Amino acid sequence: LSLANAQPPPKKAKCQDKYSPCYNILYACPESCPQSCSVDCDSCQTVCDSPPPSPTSSKPKRVRCMNQDYPDCYYRQFTCPADCRDSCQVDCATCGPVCDCNKPGAVCQDPRFIGADGITFYFHGKKDQDFCLVSDSNLHINAHFIGKRTTTMGRDFTWVQSLGLLFDNHQLYLGALKTATWDDAVDRLSLSFDGQPIFLDESKGATWTSPTGKVTVTRSKASNAIEVEAEGNFKIKAVVVPITEKESLMHGYGITPQEDSFAHLDLSFKFYSLSDEVNGVLGQTYGSKYVSRVKMGVANPVLGGDREFHSSSLFATDCGVAKFNGNNPSKGMEFADLNCASGLSGSGVVCRR
């Protein structure tokens, strides 16, 4: 073979997720794209890069470090990475942008959890059932899982479709609406507070405030991304995302664009007043005596416990590890059967029993 016809060696790529078992390991790009690939940190496999975004695509979000305890990084501005163009934060300690799904308190993808201890694990649960994510004396969060099972898998592929939150004497519902064909410009968020729909203009920064003024919902972008905060209790970042055809092929989900996009929630939690007794799939990792049950050293560590975390409905507090004792004036009302759809002109949601 002459030097003129010799092919350059394939480029190599690294996983940049420090919580992944293949973090910082070099992988050669596959033959189908020897000069352009990246590493999927969940599967530890190389993936051909997709074409760059067109010039008309929205610009990535820019974020700053706002912690004055890190003077070398304070107020420096960064651009969100390509994997999370619209949702990231600055890790002031390392002085770099970090995707919300890669921070402690994240629940994303299939569902991939990052505990308060920084350890990544998967909790698959079961499709069409509800599981307790967090339970404490004045906060209880259940998640409804949707999913699919293929003939080659012994378990369900699952994703978090909605949340039911109980705190003080309030109930908050947050969900992703089912949609076959995904269009990110069409809002697929469903929200209600104490059984009443929440209406939000479809513009970045649009805000709803509860009658008491202690709960706010703010759009992070014009559609499909919000921040919910309950004063002194919690903050949640939620983004509605679909399963793309590329993801389905990569992970073997067997999902086709014609049947359902399996719209679900990518979530990032921050808690302000949890006790040492807190429990739940994610909540237990915040307890001072928590010792991880996750088997370390495997590519995709899975946490079991379907039975102890299972809830009978989205607003039930009957899971085996329940700690909630807050007031609940609507006790006995079945919120799991709410039928929510886009509001008029896409300005909010309408929920009816």
Side-chain angles (χ1 to χ4, degrees):
L1 183 67
S2 68
L3 292 176
N5 295 325
Q7 296 295 320
K11 286 190 176 180
K12 294 186 177 182
K14 292 181 180 180
C15 165
Q16 299 299 322
D17 180 355
K18 64 181 180 180
Y19 300 113
S20 170
C22 53
Y23 171 63
N24 220 27
I25 297 176
L26 275 174
Y27 292 86
C29 290
E31 293 181 1
S32 55
C33 54
Q35 299 301 312
S36 178
C37 76
S38 56
V39 177
D40 177 70
C41 296
D42 290 335
S43 62
C44 293
Q45 300 291 322
T46 50
V47 180
C48 294
D49 289 336
S50 57
S54 65
T56 58
S57 298
S58 59
K59 293 182 179 179
K61 182 179 178 181
R62 295 182 67 83
V63 290
R64 297 181 187 272
C65 167
M66 302 304 294
N67 190 334
Q68 297 187 42
D69 292 336
Y70 297 89
D72 292 339
C73 194
Y74 176 66
Y75 213 65
R76 284 183 59 184
Q77 190 177 62
F78 299 86
T79 300
C80 285
D83 289 345
C84 53
R85 292 164 53 87
D86 300 308
S87 179
C88 75
Q89 299 178 31
V90 177
D91 183 334
C92 297
T94 61
C95 205
V98 181
C99 295
D100 289 335
C101 282
N102 291 337
K103 292 175 65 69
V107 180
C108 299
Q109 300 160 9
D110 175 21
R112 171 178 172 263
F113 290 72
I114 302 181
D117 54 4
I119 294 176
T120 299
F121 62 92
Y122 290 79
F123 175 81
H124 300 301
K126 294 181 180 179
K127 68 175 183 176
D128 304 324
Q129 295 191 25
D130 304 298
F131 295 91
C132 168
L133 300 190
V134 178
S135 191
D136 203 8
S137 59
N138 192 33
L139 178 63
H140 188 92
I141 305 176
N142 286 336
H144 180 72
F145 284 30
I146 56 173
K148 182 174 182 178
R149 177 174 291 197
T150 65
T151 56
T152 59
M153 285 296 294
R155 66 165 180 84
D156 298 334
F157 289 116
T158 53
W159 301 274
V160 173
Q161 180 269 334
S162 57
L163 296 179
L165 295 96
L166 298 164
F167 56 98
D168 297 334
N169 60 344
H170 300 299
Q171 296 179 323
L172 176 67
Y173 172 86
L174 166 59
L177 295 171
K178 184 176 181 179
T179 179
T181 303
W182 179 260
D183 181 352
D184 193 46
V186 178
D187 191 50
R188 305 305 295 165
L189 273 165
S190 175
L191 304 163
S192 69
F193 183 73
D194 290 341
Q196 299 299 312
I198 293 174
F199 295 94
L200 278 174
D201 290 336
E202 288 193 17
S203 60
K204 182 179 180 180
T207 300
W208 171 91
T209 304
S210 68
T212 63
K214 293 186 177 182
V215 182
T216 58
V217 181
T218 305
R219 285 198 187 272
S220 308
K221 58 178 185 175
S223 61
N224 297 312
I226 57 169
E227 289 189 13
V228 181
E229 183 163 15
E231 183 180 307
N233 201 331
F234 63 83
K235 177 189 283 188
I236 302 172
K237 292 185 178 183
V239 182
V240 181
V241 293
I243 297 298
T244 65
E245 191 170 9
K246 178 181 175 181
E247 283 179 284
S248 181
L249 289 171
M250 181 188 303
H251 298 290
Y253 295 144
I255 293 172
T256 60
Q258 293 77 23
E259 60 170 325
D260 188 356
S261 67
F262 281 84
H264 60 281
L265 300 172
D266 276 353
L267 300 157
S268 176
F269 293 92
K270 184 174 183 179
F271 304 107
Y272 302 131
S273 57
L274 295 179
S275 74
D276 282 343
E277 303 302 313
V278 63
N279 214 312
V281 180
L282 176 66
Q284 62 183 335
T285 68
Y286 288 81
S288 60
K289 299 178 182 178
Y290 174 70
V291 177
S292 178
R293 293 183 286 164
V294 176
K295 184 177 180 180
M296 306 305 294
V298 296
N300 297 301
V302 175
L303 176 71
D306 287 12
R307 290 185 179 180
E308 64 181 312
F309 300 123
H310 182 263
S311 295
S312 61
S313 66
L314 195 59
F315 283 93
T317 57
D318 57 1
C319 65
V321 297
K323 303 293 182 182
F324 184 72
N325 57 23
N327 295 321
N328 183 4
S330 302
K331 188 174 181 179
M333 185 174 180
E334 182 54 72
F335 280 80
D337 292 333
L338 288 175
N339 181 2
C340 298
S342 295
L344 296 175
S345 303
S347 60
V349 298
V350 175
C351 298
R352 60 184 184 274
R353 289 186 58 76

